[in-house]
C-alpha cells in the first residue's frame, strides 16, 4: 500500500536511534562562541521555556511555524520526558555541531546550525534520533503487548549452516495484514526467474499499469519502457504500486503464488489469491464487489477477479473511501504471520543475489545512525490505515545474519506509525548491541 514515512519534521525530525561518535564533553573548557551559547539554550527551547522567536531565525520559522514546533516538542516530552541537559558536543565547523541531549527517558542526537552574523539565531535543527535509556527486549516486548489491536514480531538468528533460531518474538504464528510487505514475494520471484535464466535484470518492459500511491511513476504515461531492475527498485525502495502491478503482470500471478508456496506459508488460504494493488484498492472501495469477495472461497474469488476485471481498474477506485480509516483490513489484504515473513526473508538472503540485496538496501527503513550499526541492512515495510509492517534482513558486524519482522493491525482505528517504527528501531538496536 502506501509507503511508510518514518520522519517527522523539526527542521526534519527522525524517530530513530542515535549514532556513536567521538564525543567532546559539553563541560570541557573551550572558547565561548555564539554556537556554544545557542547549544546551551537548546534544552530550554525544547522544553518551551524560551520563546521560539528569540531562538530560531525567521527563515527557519517560515518553514517550521511556531505552532508546529510546539506540537512536536510536546510530542517528544510526552514520549521521552523533559529535556534535561546537553551531554556532548561534536563540532563540524564554526557554525554547526552535532549534540547529544539527555531527556528523562532517552538520549537524543541533533544537528544544529547557527547563522554566522548577529544575533546568531538557529537556521538548522535536525533531531536525528532517540535511544531509550537502559532498553531491553523485555521492555520492548511489553510495549508490543500494550499496542491496541493486534501486534506481533519475530527476531531470528541464522547460523552458518542455515539453522534459524528464534531469539525474541510475540504472536509469531498469528496472521496479520502486512500491506506492501507482500511485495517481497514479487521480488523473490523476479530474482528466481533471473537466476533460472528466464529473465535478466536489464530486460526492458513497458510500464503497463497505473495505480494509487505510485511515488516514482506518478503521472508517467503507460507503456513507458523501463528495466525490470528499475521497477523492482521502485517497488521496494518507495513502494511504488504501479511498478509492483507491472512486475506482477510480467512475472505472472500464478508464478508468484507458486514462489510463496515453495518458500512456505502457514495459512495459504489467507494469502491467496495474491491481489495486485489496483485490485485491492478497487475491491475495498466497491461495496458490492467487496462483499462478494469477502464471502467467497478462493476459487470464487479468482473467478470474480477475472469476471469483474473491468471494474477493478485504477479509474474505478474511490480514492475518498481510502482515506476514511481502516477498510477491510481483515479480509481484502495481503496476509502473513511473522514466521512466514521470516521464512521469506531467509529465502531471499540465501539466494545470494547481489542485485536483490542491493535493491533491499536502497531504503533501509531507519535513519543512517541506526543502519550504521549493521554491516548490511535490507528493508521493506508497508502501511495503510489500520496496518503497519516492517521487515529487515540484517547482518551484524560480527558476520551473523538476522531475520527481523513485525506487524501491527487495528481494524477499528488508525495505528500510530511513528510509535511502531520506534519499537522496531529499538528492536534492531538491541539486537545490534
Amino acid at each position: 500500500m502506501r509507503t511508510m514515512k518514518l520522519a517527522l519534521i523539526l527542521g526534519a525530525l527522525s524517530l530513530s536511534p542515535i549514532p556513536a561518535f567521538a564525543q567532546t564533553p559539553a563541560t570541557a573548557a573551550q572558547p565561548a562562541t555564539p554556537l556554544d551559547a545557542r547549544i546551551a539554550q537548546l534544552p530550554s527551547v525544547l522544553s518551551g521555556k524560551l520563546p521560539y522567536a528569540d531562538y530560531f531565525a525567521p527563515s527557519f520559522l517560515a518553514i517550521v511555524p511556531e505552532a508546529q514546533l510546539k506540537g512536536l516538542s510536546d510530542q517528544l516530552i510526552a514520549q521521552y520526558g523533559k529535556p534535561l541537559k546537553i551531554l556532548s558536543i561534536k563540532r563540524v565547523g564554526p557554525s554547526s555541531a552535532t549534540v547529544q541531549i539527555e531527556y528523562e527517558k532517552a538520549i537524543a542526537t541533533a544537528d544544529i546550525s547557527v547563522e554566522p552574523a548577529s544575533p546568531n539565531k538557529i537556521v538548522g535543527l535536525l533531531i536525528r534520533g532517540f535511544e531509550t535509556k537502559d532498553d531491553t527486549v523485555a521492555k520492548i516486548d511489553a510495549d508490543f503487548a500494550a499496542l491496541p489491536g493486534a501486534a506481533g514480531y519475530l527476531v531470528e538468528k541464522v547460523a552458518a549452516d542455515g539453522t534459524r533460531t528464534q531469539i525474541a518474538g510475540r504472536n509469531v504464528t498469528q496472521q496479520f495484514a502486512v500491506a506492501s510487505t507482500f511485495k517481497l514475494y514479487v521480488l523473490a520471484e523476479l530474482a528466481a526467474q533471473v537466476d533460472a535464466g528466464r529473465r535478466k535484470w536489464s530486460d526492458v518492459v513497458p510500464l503497463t499499469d497505473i495505480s494509487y500511491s505510485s511515488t516514482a511513476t506518478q503521472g508517467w504515461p503507460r507503456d513507458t519502457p523501463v528495466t525490470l531492475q528499475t521497477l523492482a527498485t521502485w517497488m521496494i525502495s518507495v513502494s511504488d504500486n504501479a511498478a509492483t502491478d507491472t512486475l506482477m503482470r510480467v512475472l505472472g500471478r500464478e508464478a508468484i503464488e507458486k514462489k510463496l508456496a515453495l518458500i512456505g506459508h502457514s495459512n495459504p488460504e489467507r494469502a491467496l489469491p495474491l491481489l495486485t494493488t489496483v485490485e485491492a484498492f478497487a475491491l475495498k472501495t466497491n461495496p458490492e464487489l467487496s462483499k462478494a469477495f469477502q464471502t467467497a472461497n478462493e476459487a470464487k474469488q479468482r473467478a470474480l477477479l477475472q469476471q469483474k476485471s473491468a471494474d477493478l481498474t485504477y479509474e474505478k477506485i474511490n480514492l475518498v473511501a481510502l482515506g476514511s480509516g481502516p477498510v477491510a483490513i481483515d479480509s481484502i489484504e495481503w496476509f502473513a504471520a511473522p514466521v512466514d515473513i521470516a521464512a521469506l526473508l531467509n529465502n531471499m538472503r540465501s539466494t545470494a543475489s547481489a542485485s536483490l540485496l542491493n535493491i533491499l538496501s536502497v531504503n533501509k527503513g531507519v535513519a543512517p545512525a541506526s543502519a550504521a550499526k549493521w554491516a548490511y541492512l535490507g528493508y521493506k515495510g508497508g502501511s495503510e490505515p489500520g496496518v503497519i509492517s516492517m521487515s529487515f534482513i540484517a547482518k551484524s558486524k560480527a558476520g551473523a545474519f538476522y531475520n527481523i519482522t513485525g506487524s501491527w493491525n487495528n481494524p477499528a482505528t488508525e495505528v500510530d506509525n511513528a510509535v511502531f517504527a520506534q519499537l522496531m528501531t529499538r528492536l534492531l538496536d538491541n539486537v545490534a548491541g
Side-chain angles (χ1 to χ4, degrees):
M1 294 294 192
R2 71 183 183 221
T3 303
M4 185 181 61
K5 305 293 185 184
L6 296 184
L8 298 173
I9 297 178
L10 180 54
L13 165 65
S14 175
L15 299 177
S16 48
I18 62 175
F21 51 74
Q23 299 178 355
T24 301
T27 57
Q30 296 178 17
T33 68
L35 177 62
D36 293 323
R38 291 303 185 186
I39 290 173
Q41 291 175 320
L42 185 55
S44 295
V45 173
L46 295 174
S47 60
K49 297 177 181 178
L50 184 67
Y52 295 132
D54 292 348
Y55 191 75
F56 293 102
S59 59
F60 185 95
L61 293 175
I63 299 172
V64 189
E66 289 191 27
Q68 186 177 358
L69 282 169
K70 185 179 186 309
L72 291 168
S73 294
D74 289 347
Q75 178 184 339
L76 295 179
I77 291 171
Q79 187 168 358
Y80 300 111
K82 296 178 182 178
L84 302 176
K85 61 184 178 182
I86 300 296
L87 291 180
S88 64
I89 301 170
K90 178 186 178 183
R91 287 170 176 76
V92 292
S95 301
S96 300
T98 297
V99 300
Q100 287 190 318
I101 311 152
E102 183 179 10
Y103 280 70
E104 290 177 314
K105 300 178 183 178
I107 297 171
T109 293
D111 295 334
I112 187 169
S113 298
V114 67
E115 58 187 357
S118 180
N120 305 110
K121 291 185 177 182
I122 295 301
V123 292
L125 178 61
L126 170 65
I127 297 184
R128 295 194 297 174
F130 286 82
E131 186 169 293
T132 305
K133 294 179 180 178
D134 304 317
D135 208 10
T136 65
V137 170
K139 290 180 180 179
I140 298 168
D141 184 77
D143 288 341
F144 266 98
L147 294 174
Y153 72 95
L154 175 60
V155 179
E156 290 183 342
K157 185 174 183 179
V158 184
D161 63 359
T163 302
R164 295 153 52 199
T165 302
Q166 177 179 326
I167 61 175
R170 170 174 289 273
N171 297 330
V172 300
T173 61
Q174 182 172 334
Q175 293 292 310
F176 293 96
V178 297
S180 286
T181 299
F182 93 94
K183 295 169 185 175
L184 290 174
Y185 286 110
V186 182
L187 180 62
E189 174 57 21
L190 172 57
Q193 292 192 17
V194 170
D195 185 62
R198 296 173 55 193
R199 304 187 190 280
K200 297 179 181 178
W201 292 103
S202 59
D203 286 349
V204 175
V205 298
L207 182 69
T208 54
D209 292 69
I210 296 176
S211 185
Y212 171 65
S213 188
S214 297
T215 303
T217 61
Q218 193 68 46
W220 284 46
R222 282 181 170 147
D223 298 326
T224 298
V226 287
T227 68
L228 294 179
Q229 185 156 351
T230 298
L231 289 172
T233 304
W234 285 339
M235 175 180 70
I236 299 300
S237 65
V238 295
S239 214
D240 189 283
N241 287 327
T244 303
D245 288 358
T246 296
L247 278 174
M248 291 183 73
R249 293 187 190 282
V250 170
L251 302 174
R253 189 201 312 265
E254 294 77 11
I256 301 168
E257 291 176 340
K258 288 180 181 178
K259 184 65 176 178
L260 179 148
L262 180 64
I263 293 171
H265 193 285
S266 58
N267 193 346
E269 291 183 3
R270 291 281 277 163
L272 305 177
L274 204 63
L275 299 171
T276 66
T277 68
V278 162
E279 288 171 341
F281 291 132
L283 283 170
K284 284 175 178 284
T285 60
N286 183 316
E288 181 181 349
L289 292 182
S290 176
K291 182 178 180 180
F293 188 86
Q294 292 177 70
T295 56
N297 60 25
E298 183 185 332
K300 290 182 178 179
Q301 287 177 338
R302 291 186 185 278
L304 183 150
L305 294 178
Q306 184 174 5
Q307 295 165 7
K308 299 294 183 179
S309 60
D311 295 316
L312 301 175
T313 64
Y314 174 73
E315 291 75 17
K316 296 297 179 69
I317 297 172
N318 180 357
L319 298 179
V320 175
L322 291 176
S324 59
V327 180
I329 68 168
D330 56 352
S331 54
I332 301 175
E333 251 291 344
W334 301 275
F335 295 97
V339 291
D340 300 324
I341 298 300
L344 170 59
L345 295 171
N346 194 67
N347 175 272
M348 299 175 80
R349 178 200 57 79
S350 65
T351 63
S353 168
S355 294
L356 180 151
L357 294 175
N358 287 339
I359 288 168
L360 285 173
S361 68
V362 171
N363 174 5
K364 294 177 173 59
V366 293
S370 184
K373 297 181 180 182
W374 297 91
Y376 170 85
L377 192 65
Y379 165 76
K380 183 71 189 88
S383 70
E384 63 174 285
V387 177
I388 186 168
S389 178
M390 298 177 69
S391 298
F392 302 86
I393 297 174
K395 182 182 180 182
S396 73
K397 293 187 176 181
F401 276 99
Y402 295 84
N403 304 316
I404 303 172
T405 182
S407 296
W408 178 19
N409 293 175
N410 192 339
T413 188
E414 296 259 12
V415 296
D416 190 326
N417 287 357
V419 167
F420 187 80
Q422 182 66 3
L423 274 177
M424 292 300 296
T425 302
R426 287 168 57 196
L427 197 60
L428 276 172
D429 252 19
N430 191 278
V431 176

